[in-house]
Amino acid sequence: MTNSTNGQTNAPFTAEKWQAGEHQLVCVEKWHETHDVISFRFQGVKPVKFHFKPGQFLTLLLEINGEKIGRSYTISSSPSRPFSIVLTVKQIEGGKVSNYLANNLDVGHVVRALGPDGAFNLIDIEADKYLFLSAGCGITPMYSMSRWLADTQISPDIAFLHSAKSTKDLIFKQSLEQMADRSDQFKLNYLLETLDNEPCAYVDAEAGRLSADNLQRLVADFQSRTVFVCGPEPYMVAVKALLESLNFNMAQFNQESFGSFKGDLGELAAAKEVVVSDEKNGFMLQIGDRTRALSSEQTVLDGVEAEGLPIIAACRSGVCGACKCKVVEGETESTSQMSLTADEIAQGYVLACSTKLKSNVTLEL
């Protein structure tokens, strides 16, 4: 380890503000949160102040065995601590990217990343009283939000219910409990599928999953709170149905999803104009000098990938925003705009994975 020079010590104070786009990050620390969850701490290759909204995510651009792959991960650190950034990754059995990161990404390694992105955050969604509901690795945005609130407000009113299999699966356990210990306004409870002998004051004595009885017992004033939900898709669906059955005001309901990964993804392309022509079996999409007809059931992403053109589509479900592209001319229909700003929508940006052609379209990637 080299000694810090005065210039290195002062570098963070002169660092530029991190802007959206592609970045080079160097891993400076790596540790296990649980037996199958690892956190990676990054700094900029050049000194940078990380500016993002608590709850947002990054998309890592990786090359694994010659294949270019993109994956999105929520930023688990808080923007109130701006000189490094943390991504927390759960190893999935057979998961190409999670296992690659766990086994190959080490301190000193440099990665490329896109972002930050994501409308599921505390800046775009205002609230006075919070109810965080999470399961598994869905805890990552809630942890970032909790740290942000604890660092920037005096005793924020937070109720936090996290579901996990057992105490050994509790992510950020020590840090969350420290926040709860310091404030009576931070009401933390763990709902475990299986109780064990591990002592923890925040484990609910009644094992099981989130239910109407558990929610009403642990957060009696839940009806007056703004709800943030993140976790596996079945958990998300169940929580939404539960709150609807309790006549919760769904205008105060906000959810995030990791989406469904369906294969490997290419590298983001530079902007290219697309020219289109007509064909009776569908509408035509041409990228550069390539032309492809798309049926009414195919997405813009289907067309781009079929032509072998590079594009990042990390979630493929209209969540991450990595496949954003611009419609210059023509008509499209989109099922998701959740990661686009109002200005981007006005300019014609769409999410390729969630957009179908309604006419011939001119596009820029």
Side-chain angles (χ1 to χ4, degrees), residues 333-358:
E333 182 178 58
S334 297
T335 57
S336 174
Q337 297 176 315
M338 72 185 312
S339 58
L340 299 175
T341 66
D343 286 344
E344 287 173 332
I345 294 171
Q347 293 173 39
Y349 283 96
V350 298
L351 302 178
C353 69
S354 305
T355 299
K356 298 176 181 178
L357 303 187
K358 302 298 286 185

Side-chain angles (χ1 to χ4, degrees), residues 267-276 285-290 300 304 307-311 324-329 349 361-365:
E267 191 173 14
L268 188 67
K272 297 183 179 71
E273 291 190 359
V274 177
V275 182
V276 292
L285 183 65
Q286 181 176 343
I287 304 175
D289 59 354
R290 304 186 190 191
V300 170
V304 174
E307 288 299 320
L309 293 169
I311 188 170
K324 177 174 64 179
C325 52
K326 185 177 182 179
V327 174
V328 176
E329 183 179 351
Y349 283 96
V361 169
T362 301
L363 190 76
E364 289 180 358
L365 292 180

Side-chain angles (χ1 to χ4, degrees), residues 28-45:
V28 296
E29 195 174 1
K30 174 183 179 180
W31 66 92
H32 273 270
E33 300 284 356
T34 70
H35 60 101
D36 60 356
V37 176
I38 299 175
S39 283
F40 301 88
R41 180 173 172 242
F42 298 95
Q43 292 180 332
V45 170

